Amino acid sequence: MLGLYNLSKEEEKIVKKVFKTVCKLHGIRQNAISADISIVDINQIHKLNMETRQVDKPTDVLSYPALENIIFPFDKKNYADILSPEDKTLYIGEIIICHEIMEEQATEYGHSVTRELAFLTTHGLLHLLGYDHIEEDMRKVMRAKEDQVLTTAKFFRE
């Protein structure tokens, strides 16, 4: 389940398709987890980046995992004490995407804004699931998973 904020209907479709694909590839039922995804302007993301990471510049995407680590294979029973009482989902965190930087990067990388939004959403969701790219071996795993998600969801580089 997704909380979507400040997205157009088309952007919502893209994000939902990525979410569905990420869940499927990780053996997670879509209604078992929840996350919030927002699109903000460059000033908002700059401020958030400074406040939360002490980095004084804007960025393309910020991810705020709710859990330190998620156990795979995924089973809601492992999280029974922290499931949402309303819908029995596991809240995995929040993703903030910068609209202006998303558009700039699409142009810079020579692909559509649709593909860039799919990539940034994938990247953010993988962070929420515990992937990282700090160390080289972890970066390779995360990049391979990003490629798998984007290929499976048919968000190819144009």
Side-chain angles (χ1 to χ4, degrees):
M1 301 184 69
L2 292 171
L4 302 174
Y5 305 96
N6 202 30
L7 279 77
S8 70
K9 292 294 181 201
E10 187 59 35
E11 289 167 336
E12 286 184 9
K13 287 180 194 174
I14 296 161
V15 167
K16 287 176 181 178
K17 186 174 183 180
V18 169
F19 181 75
K20 178 180 179 180
T21 305
V22 167
C23 286
K24 181 180 177 185
L25 292 174
H26 287 86
I28 302 171
R29 287 188 353 266
Q30 287 179 68
N31 64 354
I33 63 173
S34 62
D36 291 322
I37 301 176
S38 304
I39 294 183
V40 300
D41 68 32
I42 200 161
N43 294 325
Q44 290 171 298
I45 207 151
H46 186 163
K47 182 179 178 189
L48 282 169
N49 206 20
M50 184 62 188
E51 289 173 355
T52 61
R53 298 178 59 234
Q54 292 70 56
V55 177
D56 191 15
K57 65 179 184 176
T59 188
D60 55 357
V61 62
L62 291 169
S63 301
Y64 300 104
L67 303 169
E68 195 167 309
N69 123 38
I70 294 182
I71 303 164
F72 290 101
F74 182 81
D75 187 339
K76 279 185 9 177
K77 293 175 192 164
N78 294 325
Y79 308 96
D81 57 335
I82 59 171
L83 295 178
S84 163
E86 293 87 32
D87 59 16
K88 304 296 184 216
T89 62
L90 177 66
Y91 181 71
I92 61 170
E94 180 179 16
I95 301 165
I96 312 284
I97 297 170
C98 178
H99 190 266
E100 291 94 334
I101 295 177
M102 174 179 69
E103 288 183 335
E104 289 170 11
Q105 288 179 170
T107 300
E108 179 182 337
Y109 300 137
H111 55 241
S112 68
V113 174
T114 295
R115 200 269 182 198
E116 187 65 16
L117 175 58
F119 171 78
L120 294 173
T121 303
T122 299
H123 186 85
L125 285 169
L126 292 177
H127 274 306
L128 299 187
L129 291 176
Y131 291 84
D132 212 332
H133 47 82
I134 296 170
E135 303 293 329
E136 181 62 20
D137 58 332
M138 295 165 51
R139 187 189 70 73
K140 286 180 183 177
V141 169
M142 187 169 180
R143 293 293 179 248
K145 188 59 76 171
E146 288 168 346
D147 288 343
Q148 182 186 23
V149 170
L150 294 169
T151 299
T152 302
K154 298 183 175 22
F155 289 109
F156 303 110
R157 294 178 194 242
E158 294 113 9

